[in-house]
Structure formats: C-alpha cells, structure tokens
Amino acid sequence: MNTTTTRNAMPPRFRRPSPIAWAIGLGFFAFFIQGIIAADMTIGRLIAGAGNLVRFLGQAMPPDYSGAGGIASAMLETLNIAIVGVTFGCLFSVPLGLLAARNTTPNRVVHAVARLVIAIARTIPDLIWALIFVVTVGLGPLAGILAIIMDTIGLAARFYSERFEEVSDGPSQALTSTGAGRISVIFGAVIPESFASMTAVSLFSVEKAIRSAVTLGLVGAGGIGVELSTAMRLFRYDEAAAVILSILVVVIGFEQLSSAIRRRIIGGAGAMG
C-alpha cells in the first residue's frame, strides 16, 4: 500500500520528444546560430567593444551639469508629455475596455471592433507612433503626447477589459434585479470593483510613459531625448552622462512614488473588502 502511494507520488519522467518537437528544437537552434552569424558576434569585436566602453565612460565622467537649466526644462517637458498622454490614454481606455469586455459590451461586433482597435494600438511600437505623429502634426511635444496616448491605450485598455471580465457576478446581478440598467450596473458594480487594479495599471503606464518619452525625443517628439541625442551626436559624452543620470533619478523616484501609492490603494481596497 505504501509502495503504491509512493510510486503514485513520484513526478512524471521525461518522455521521448516527438518528431515535431525535434523539428521545432532544431529549427530554433538553427535560427539561433544564424542570428549569431548575422550579428558578426566575434571575440575580437567584443574585446574591442569593451575597450570602447571604457573609453566612453572615461570621457563621460564626471558628468557635465553646466547645462542643468536646459536639462531641467527638457525633463519637465518629458514629464508633461508622459502625464498628459497617460491621462488621456487611460480616459480613452475605460470605454474601450468596457466595449472589449464580454460581460459589458452590447454585442459581439462591438466587442470585435474594440478588440481590434486595442490590438492595433498595442502592436505598433511607441517609437513608430511617434514617427507617424511627427509626420502628421510636426515636431514637438504634441507628437509625443499622441504617441503616448496610443501606447497607453494598447496597454491599459487591454488590462481594463480583462479586469472587467473578472469581476464577480453577485453585485451586478443584485443591481440588475432592482431594475438598474447597463450603465448603472457598470458604474455601480463593475468599475468600483475594478478600481484598485485600474489605478495600479494607470500608475504603471505613467512609469512606462516616462521611459518611452525619453526615446520619443530621439525622433523629434519633444522631451529630454532631444538633449540626449544632441549631446551624443556632438560627442559631448559628459553632457550625455548628466542627462542619463537625471533620467535615472526621475524614473527611480517616480517608481518609488507609484509603488507607495499602489500599496496604499491596494491595501485600502483589501481592508475594505
């Protein structure tokens, strides 16, 4: 009896891979080797790159903060792009998420169209959105804000819709039994139950937007990326180091702030539950 129980408790052994699994594994290995060859990844290049990295760090240190005023102004513009873009992106994501969630959408066609819009926003990278909006509205922060809006919709609307689908049926059914309409059920049961998760995703979107806004500046969409690109092109590595360290301080600072807000909101929601 004990022998049988022990035998049943043993973990399953590896099975011999099927021919399809072997083919997939060999294909992946071949693609991996082809990638290394295409990148011309050699020991000589890596050693030379390490030497260049040391030379870059030597020229970048100490950072040159003589242009601190310009860096602060560009960083403020970056934060403006991130905050404005994420705010509009999250506001647009709420109705899109409701239309994309199966339990709150009016019909399947609207559900499919909303899912398609979210998929398009998520599939195209933020840098590509920035290039598109630089062409359409010109250089500057507006192109960056529009790019952040689309990038935020791709992230937030998807998570909102998934959270809406996870809400328990009890509160919604209770409101429906009292004669409440669809809108009343959404604002009386679905959104209040999802609010903590929506806030956490929105804060994460701001963190992501700050990092994205830096790279958007490299293509002319405003922000501190312009300062960084200019310093690198002029080989002013000490000025570039000052910009990079400033970005690092702001990103880490906001991550700590958003983590504290998330803990407070999620903890408060847990205490209420």
Side-chain angles (χ1 to χ4, degrees):
M1 183 68 179
N2 293 336
T3 304
T4 304
T5 304
T6 304
R7 186 178 299 165
N8 291 338
M10 291 178 65
R13 299 178 62 185
F14 285 113
R15 296 180 180 178
R16 176 176 295 179
S18 66
I20 295 177
W22 275 111
I24 293 174
L26 288 174
F28 175 81
F29 182 74
F31 195 71
F32 174 76
I33 296 299
Q34 189 270 337
I36 292 179
I37 295 173
D40 192 18
M41 190 182 299
T42 62
I43 298 297
R45 288 193 68 189
L46 292 175
I47 293 175
N52 292 333
L53 178 62
V54 171
R55 188 160 50 253
F56 167 77
L57 293 175
Q59 296 177 13
M61 296 296 163
D64 181 6
Y65 282 99
S66 59
I71 294 175
S73 175
M75 183 58 75
L76 179 63
E77 187 175 79
T78 299
L79 291 174
N80 287 338
I81 292 172
I83 297 297
V84 174
V86 169
T87 301
F88 278 114
C90 289
L91 289 176
F92 295 150
S93 294
V94 174
L96 261 178
L98 290 169
L99 295 175
R102 288 186 176 85
N103 56 335
T104 56
T105 192
N107 58 58
R108 292 184 178 179
V109 175
V110 174
H111 167 76
V113 171
R115 287 275 178 180
L116 178 62
V117 171
I118 295 172
I120 292 173
R122 186 177 64 252
T123 304
I124 299 177
D126 51 3
L127 203 59
I128 304 300
W129 281 121
L131 289 171
I132 293 172
F133 289 122
V134 164
V135 171
T136 54
V137 301
L139 297 171
L142 179 58
I145 289 173
L146 295 174
I148 293 295
I149 289 174
M150 297 305 299
D151 191 52
T152 302
I153 288 175
L155 173 71
R158 177 189 173 186
F159 279 97
Y160 288 176
S161 65
E162 292 177 354
R163 182 65 186 96
F164 295 151
E165 290 178 344
E166 293 172 355
V167 297
S168 55
D169 296 332
S172 299
Q173 292 175 351
L175 283 175
T176 304
S177 65
T178 63
R182 184 187 297 271
I183 301 298
S184 300
V185 170
I186 289 173
F187 286 97
V190 177
I191 289 184
E193 190 171 340
S194 309
F195 184 72
S197 297
M198 292 171 64
T199 304
V201 171
S202 302
L203 289 170
F204 178 76
S205 298
V206 177
E207 295 176 21
K208 184 175 182 297
I210 292 175
R211 287 190 290 267
S212 297
V214 174
T215 58
L216 299 185
L218 299 177
V219 295
I224 200 166
V226 178
E227 297 286 332
L228 180 60
S229 176
T230 302
M232 293 295 285
R233 287 175 181 172
L234 296 176
F235 304 104
R236 296 291 302 173
Y237 298 136
D238 48 355
E239 295 178 3
V243 173
I244 293 171
L245 289 176
S246 301
I247 295 169
L248 190 64
V249 169
V250 170
V251 170
I252 291 176
F254 191 84
E255 284 181 352
Q256 295 300 316
L257 176 64
S258 65
S259 297
I261 295 173
R262 273 199 296 267
R263 283 195 300 270
R264 188 174 183 83
I265 292 177
I266 294 175
M272 290 174 64

